[in-house]
Amino acid sequence: MDLIDTLISITLDLTAAITEKDRYERLLIAIEKVLPYDAAALLRVDGDLLIPVAARGLIPDALGREYARSSHPRLDIICNADEPVWFPADNPLPDPFDGLLATGEDTQSQIRACLGCPLRVENKLTGILTADAFDPEAFDHMDPRFLKAVGALAGAQMQTAHLIDALEISAERQGQIANELMQDIHMRQGSQILGSSSIMTHLRREIELVARSDFTVLVMGDTGVGKELVIRAIHASSNRKDAPLLYLNCAALPESLAESELFGHTKGAFTGASRDRAGKFELANHGTLFLDEIGELPLSIQPKLLRAIQEGEIQRVGSDKSDHVDVRLLAATNRDLEAEVENKRFRVDLYHRLNVYPIRIPSLKEHIEDIPLLAGYFCERIQRRLGLGPVRISPDAYEMMAGYDWPGNVRELENIISRAVLKSSSIVSRGDPVVLEITHLDSDLIRKDLPIVPSSPKKEMVFSKNFSLNDELKNYKVKLITLALNKNHGNWAAAARDLGMHRSNLHNLAKRLGIMGNM
């Protein structure tokens, strides 16, 4: 009866008014009642890539990865199959989720039972369902006909979710939205805003809202937060997405050439002007112009930029003729433009013209909970670039990253992950799993992550035969947390603030270290 109930539950969800995320989660929950998996995932097909849309039993970083079929033979076999596929426990092909199961300390847990089901609608592959278990006999009793029925319903679920999501974004494209949305995501890999935290969800909503308008947008944020990424995402979702997005870095413009770069010049207008040349505004006509580091634009050019924004009129250097252009302007800066206005370094009227729709990008320390997803994305990218085996990150390394301040934001995270992967890959054989440990992280990160603890007079460290860096670090963390709790009379929230951590992260770390039961 469980099998029938499961099929009925999945079928009813096909017509339920629920979100795409809830649709996928309920599908995996329903399957779990009859399929004893330790981990399961739904992946959407996008060309050669398989993109996770939901998972259970996997660590968060698994959802931040993209799985290339060419790099994961098991997934490729499932995609090419017409029926559910079982992989015996002794199958030599690597499992893509080895080391990604949410099993606590052991980051290299070996999966013993694996099955996959292609999800097809009208013979077209839309995705795959995978299930993994540590028990090698976990799936031996499953009826292939039942799994095929689940696969058909899951494929319909996935297509339904795409259609509903697409209709909410743009009702006018409803006839071809499922296919166009998948192509659009593939083409816009450089404009994906990653993060599942509330602050990043809000940012994506802001982008989606303003993208549909023709408003001028001012994107603000610290260095390394991804301002250019947000600009590309706005353009890619706008009505001008098929027109060019032109880029100009105002900080790299000499004052003598800034006007020509923006508005063009005529032959002979100045020394070296050997021919007529169009400026960025002309080239971006009917498209979008992105002015990066707008706070660095010379004051002498700002009135002409203001006129171009207000009236849509430009004039080449050396010309008496004005031309009209239709350009959407997007600008970015890491400066405080209000302070620049007060200090007479930026025109107040230009500031208000640019500030029609301001978007502030949060620094990484404001959404630390997104680090696993971002780190997984960077690991997968550097893995493909270097041709490595699976790249994993140890729990201790994640804890260290969660306690770091990240002054260089997402760019610094990417750089540190890239360096750590390079270091850790140098000590393993080609194709073997690469595991990032604390010792592989940047030395500055380690130094800033560990605050100084008052101690007894210094003693020279003696390395015994049983010395273990991991044990020493564990003892050090226990001491730090205990000191912070004692200082704050057992107040976990206050202790977390002193340690520069989120309260939930401190609780999780304390449980892992065995502190909770002793307090």
Side-chain angles (χ1 to χ4, degrees), residues 176-401:
Q176 54 185 3
I177 196 65
N179 185 48
E180 287 189 7
L181 184 60
M182 292 176 69
Q183 291 178 354
D184 188 54
I185 291 172
H186 179 69
M187 293 172 63
R188 289 197 287 129
Q189 286 182 9
S191 61
Q192 250 184 316
I193 309 297
L194 295 177
S196 57
S197 61
S198 60
I199 196 168
M200 293 306 290
T201 300
H202 176 74
L203 175 62
R204 282 193 294 271
R205 287 175 182 159
E206 289 277 274
I207 291 169
E208 182 182 334
L209 175 64
V210 76
R212 297 194 296 264
S213 74
D214 233 7
F215 289 171
T216 298
V217 181
L218 180 61
V219 178
M220 298 166 288
D222 297 335
T223 298
V225 293
K227 294 186 288 293
E228 185 175 342
L229 197 67
V230 168
I231 294 288
R232 290 203 301 269
I234 293 172
H235 175 72
S237 297
S238 73
N239 295 328
R240 298 175 183 250
K241 65 180 180 298
D242 295 325
L245 169 65
L246 270 66
Y247 170 86
L248 184 63
N249 187 343
C250 298
L253 280 178
E255 187 168 355
S256 59
L257 296 178
E259 185 177 357
S260 172
E261 283 292 320
L262 283 167
F263 310 115
H265 63 254
T266 60
K267 181 179 179 180
F270 51 84
T271 303
S274 58
R275 57 183 177 85
D276 288 356
R277 182 175 181 271
K280 289 294 193 294
F281 267 93
E282 282 186 69
L283 295 173
N285 195 22
H286 302 300
T288 306
L289 178 58
F290 169 30
L291 297 182
D292 199 8
E293 304 295 349
I294 189 70
E296 310 292 334
L297 190 69
L299 266 171
S300 60
I301 308 300
Q302 292 181 22
K304 296 181 179 180
L305 176 60
L306 179 63
R307 181 184 177 192
I309 299 172
Q310 285 179 326
E311 310 295 338
E313 287 188 359
I314 62 167
Q315 188 173 328
R316 289 188 180 187
V317 178
S319 173
D320 296 327
K321 179 180 171 238
S322 293
D323 293 310
H324 189 273
V325 291
D326 173 22
V327 174
R328 184 186 192 181
L329 191 66
L330 306 176
T333 183
N334 59 7
R335 288 195 175 215
D336 182 348
L337 289 190
E338 287 189 2
E340 295 295 296
V341 168
E342 289 179 9
N343 292 318
K344 311 297 183 185
R345 290 192 293 264
F346 203 86
R347 290 180 61 104
V348 62
D349 47 5
L350 177 58
Y351 168 66
H352 287 301
R353 280 292 174 181
L354 293 171
N355 202 39
V356 175
Y357 199 100
I359 290 180
R360 190 189 77 83
I361 307 177
S363 58
L364 183 54
K365 65 184 178 183
E366 295 177 68
H367 57 112
I368 289 291
E369 60 268 39
D370 286 325
I371 284 181
L373 192 145
L374 291 165
Y377 175 80
F378 294 140
C379 282
E380 199 70 20
R381 195 158 73 174
I382 194 69
Q383 173 194 351
R384 290 202 299 266
R385 191 182 305 162
L386 298 181
L388 303 173
V391 178
R392 310 295 185 236
I393 302 176
S394 73
D396 285 342
Y398 271 130
E399 287 170 10
M400 175 169 283
M401 287 190 283

Side-chain angles (χ1 to χ4, degrees), residues 43 48-52 61-72 75 96-98 100 194 372-393 398 414 417-418 421 434 436:
L43 300 100
D48 180 57
L49 296 176
L50 291 164
I51 301 173
D61 116 12
L63 281 170
R65 299 170 181 255
E66 295 176 341
Y67 300 83
R69 290 171 59 173
S70 56
S71 302
H72 297 287
L75 298 183
F97 301 118
D98 256 342
L100 294 177
L194 295 177
L373 192 145
L374 291 165
Y377 175 80
F378 294 140
C379 282
E380 199 70 20
R381 195 158 73 174
I382 194 69
Q383 173 194 351
R384 290 202 299 266
R385 191 182 305 162
L386 298 181
L388 303 173
V391 178
R392 310 295 185 236
I393 302 176
Y398 271 130
E414 180 180 11
I417 291 289
S418 298
V421 171
V434 176
L436 274 57

Side-chain angles (χ1 to χ4, degrees), residues 400 446-447 449-455 469-483 499 509 513 515:
M400 175 169 283
I446 295 175
R447 188 160 57 249
D449 178 57
L450 299 178
I452 297 174
V453 180
S455 59
L469 177 62
N470 286 336
D471 288 344
E472 292 297 320
L473 286 172
K474 180 178 178 181
N475 293 335
Y476 189 63
K477 290 176 183 178
V478 170
K479 186 175 182 180
L480 283 176
I481 295 173
T482 303
L483 283 171
L499 293 169
L509 177 58
L513 296 173
I515 296 175

Side-chain angles (χ1 to χ4, degrees), residues 6-20 22-24 26-27 30 120-121 149-164:
T6 299
L7 291 177
I8 292 173
S9 174
I10 297 172
T11 304
L12 290 174
D13 279 350
L14 275 171
T15 56
I18 54 179
T19 66
E20 181 180 5
D22 287 343
R23 196 177 295 277
Y24 294 143
R26 285 166 64 159
L27 176 61
R120 299 183 184 276
V121 177
V150 168
L153 289 172
Q157 283 272 37
M158 186 166 287
Q159 187 180 55
T160 300
H162 282 317
L163 286 169
I164 292 174

